[in-house]
Amino acid sequence: MKILFAFENPLPNTQADAEVFVATARCLGGLTAGSWLHVPLRNDGDGDGAGALAGMPIVRAWAPIRPAALRHLCCGLTIMFRKAFWQADLVYTRNLWVAWLSLLFGQKVAFDHYRPWPAQIPPLQPWIYRLICHRRFLINICHSEYTRRKYVELGIPDDKLRCVHNGFDPHRFSARLPPEEAKRQIGVPASRKTVVYTGRINDRKGLDLVIEAARKLPDIQFILVGAQGESAIARRAGAVANIRVVPWQPAEAVACYVCAADILLIPPSLQPLAAFGSTVLPLKLYFYMAAGRPILAGDTPDVAEILRHGENAFLCRPDCVDALVAGIRTLLADSGLASRLAARSQLDSAAFTWDARARRIADILGSRLSAASAARGRWGRLQSRAWMIESWRWLVHLVRNRYWVLPPHAVRTSAARSPSVG
């Protein structure tokens, strides 16, 4: 099996999608007879860096770096003019545009993405349906069962869909520090209890809830790692005496902050999933699991696929400051519970390495390449009616909010406001 991996953004970059795609490509490429990475480059020197990251030869995409829309357009329009496109058995991509053009020019395709596109951009549903049902579209690899179900609801045949969760790099914990030493290195007294969050610091991550909890727990040090530039949420957090806002850190430094945590926090909010649709099973979850520290998160549909309350994490009611405060107090007061949850999550993390993910995907691709063409689903009247209703709701949401992703919360709100359309 030979694979052309197609990524539409320059490397290296700090976005989670880049980490997922490059880590998967690097591990999956090692299981193939040959692999290449098709990627736009800022300059000729970037090819060496991108190749080292991915562990495979680079095929430079004929695409400008800016503007981003033109870059994505050209990555798809020119990929078929590269020799590797025809040498590969399939194109592996996270871009529907690249997938469509690859199919158009006779190549097989595997698609790998976290977003439930049919639910988030309903006007695209008929096109997505035809695309995935194409006989050379091998598989849609979804990062969560939540996302896979959205494609099932569209009527996509089951054998075109697989859920393969993301992973982490075990080498990031090759020199795991004891909590006391990690705290010393980041300037926190060993006796001070710490709640640590790592990742993007913006208004779409449920961090307002964390700020309110910190105000109710003044004796606990909250550390938010990952600020990039000035933001309103970072300013609000920085104004609270027991919150430290830390700029974006390289991987090895993040590991030190994680090791210094008495509690690792995934903000227990439905907002990233339901109000913005921008986060489905955050990537930090897998890294947290491997850290050997207790995890506190919300009991949300995506997180509950991996974390189980009282077994490998403490899950509290979403969007409730009092529930978050109670959860923090419980974990800090009950060291036995905290240790048990941490040990179990670390044990469970062995199933979520990038190597493990790549092996699962390699088995799926091998099976799909040798399988007969899947039976095509049928687009019926009910699907057409649902498509029109949801597309209308999407348009209303776009006009009102100037945001092109329709989150689940907007569907419910729109339905309540527009009974004549439902």
Side-chain angles (χ1 to χ4, degrees):
M1 177 171 58
K2 297 180 179 180
I3 301 178
L4 175 61
F5 295 93
F7 191 64
E8 67 282 0
N9 296 321
L11 296 171
N13 72 59
T14 61
Q15 298 295 322
D17 62 351
E19 180 179 352
V20 172
F21 193 87
V22 173
T24 299
R26 182 178 63 248
C27 297
L28 182 54
L31 303 175
T32 68
S35 59
W36 307 263
L37 176 62
H38 181 262
V39 64
L41 302 177
R42 299 180 186 88
N43 53 60
D44 292 337
D46 275 1
D48 293 337
L53 277 175
M56 64 184 68
I58 296 299
V59 176
R60 184 170 189 170
W62 291 333
I65 296 301
R66 294 185 179 86
L70 182 60
R71 181 177 72 242
H72 286 225
L73 180 71
C74 291
C75 281
L77 287 173
T78 62
I79 190 172
M80 71 288 301
F81 297 112
R82 307 314 304 254
K83 184 178 179 181
F85 179 85
W86 303 104
Q87 292 176 319
D89 294 306
L90 64 106
V91 171
Y92 194 101
T93 180
R94 62 179 300 280
N95 189 297
L96 288 170
W97 166 247
V98 172
W100 181 68
L101 285 167
S102 297
L103 291 174
L104 191 64
F105 280 83
Q107 188 51 281
K108 297 180 178 69
V109 166
F111 182 69
D112 184 346
H113 208 283
Y114 76 94
R115 281 190 183 271
W117 287 124
Q120 293 190 344
I121 310 183
L124 295 181
Q125 286 180 1
W127 178 69
I128 291 174
Y129 181 85
R130 291 192 298 271
L131 179 72
I132 298 180
C133 287
H134 193 285
R135 61 186 177 85
R136 288 195 305 276
F137 193 106
L138 299 177
I139 198 72
N140 177 7
I141 296 168
C142 306
H143 296 189
S144 65
E145 276 295 326
Y146 174 88
T147 293
R148 191 189 73 85
R149 287 194 298 269
K150 298 300 181 182
Y151 286 94
V152 170
E153 290 169 9
L154 186 62
I156 303 295
D158 276 345
D159 57 0
K160 291 279 192 175
L161 306 167
R162 292 291 186 279
C163 170
V164 184
H165 292 111
N166 282 322
F168 74 100
D169 181 359
H171 294 101
R172 292 179 69 176
F173 285 116
S174 56
R176 184 178 279 105
L177 295 173
E180 296 78 11
E181 174 60 21
K183 287 181 181 180
R184 186 191 66 79
Q185 290 194 17
I186 65 171
V188 174
S191 59
R192 187 84 187 269
K193 297 300 183 182
T194 53
V195 175
V196 175
Y197 163 89
T198 66
R200 304 285 170 187
I201 297 177
N202 58 45
D203 59 1
R204 296 180 178 179
K205 300 297 183 182
L207 290 170
D208 278 323
L209 194 72
V210 179
I211 294 172
E212 291 306 310
R215 289 193 175 107
K216 292 176 177 286
L217 297 166
D219 294 334
I220 297 169
Q221 179 69 64
F222 286 73
I223 304 174
L224 312 182
V225 183
Q228 290 183 298
E230 286 291 322
S231 69
I233 192 75
R235 287 193 296 272
R236 289 200 299 275
V240 180
N242 59 321
I243 298 180
R244 181 197 296 185
V245 178
V246 180
W248 188 265
Q249 301 290 308
E252 59 274 12
V254 171
C256 184
Y257 282 96
V258 167
C259 288
D262 290 294
I263 296 174
L264 287 170
L265 183 65
I266 297 173
S269 174
L270 277 167
Q271 297 306 302
L273 178 67
F276 301 108
S278 57
T279 302
V280 183
L281 267 176
L283 192 57
K284 67 175 69 66
L285 182 151
Y286 307 98
F287 183 51
Y288 281 6
M289 290 178 70
R293 314 302 297 146
I295 300 169
L296 194 158
D299 191 4
T300 58
D302 55 337
V303 167
E305 292 181 23
I306 304 294
L307 300 182
R308 301 174 302 281
H309 178 64
E311 293 185 37
N312 61 2
F314 191 101
L315 303 184
C316 67
R317 182 155 61 93
D319 299 302
C320 177
V321 173
D322 289 340
L324 172 56
V325 169
I328 292 171
R329 284 175 171 157
T330 297
L331 284 174
L332 294 180
D334 191 339
S335 59
L337 172 64
S339 297
R340 177 169 58 80
L341 297 180
R344 180 57 187 268
S345 67
Q346 188 174 32
L347 182 65
D348 291 347
S349 73
F352 297 107
T353 65
W354 292 122
D355 281 330
R357 183 174 202 259
R359 288 193 297 271
R360 287 194 287 271
I361 293 173
D363 289 342
I364 292 168
L365 294 179
S367 173
R368 296 297 299 137
L369 281 169
S370 61
S373 297
R376 181 166 182 156
R378 296 186 62 185
W379 181 276
R381 290 182 180 179
L382 290 177
Q383 285 164 302
S384 294
R385 183 173 182 272
W387 166 58
M388 289 187 289
I389 293 170
E390 291 171 24
S391 294
W392 169 253
R393 291 171 180 160
W394 175 84
L395 181 60
V396 170
H397 177 74
L398 178 65
V399 171
R400 286 175 175 167
N401 301 283
R402 298 186 179 181
Y403 186 55
W404 54 274
V405 167
L406 179 69
H409 174 72
V411 174
R412 294 195 299 270
T413 302
S414 179
R417 291 175 176 170
S418 307
S420 63
V421 180

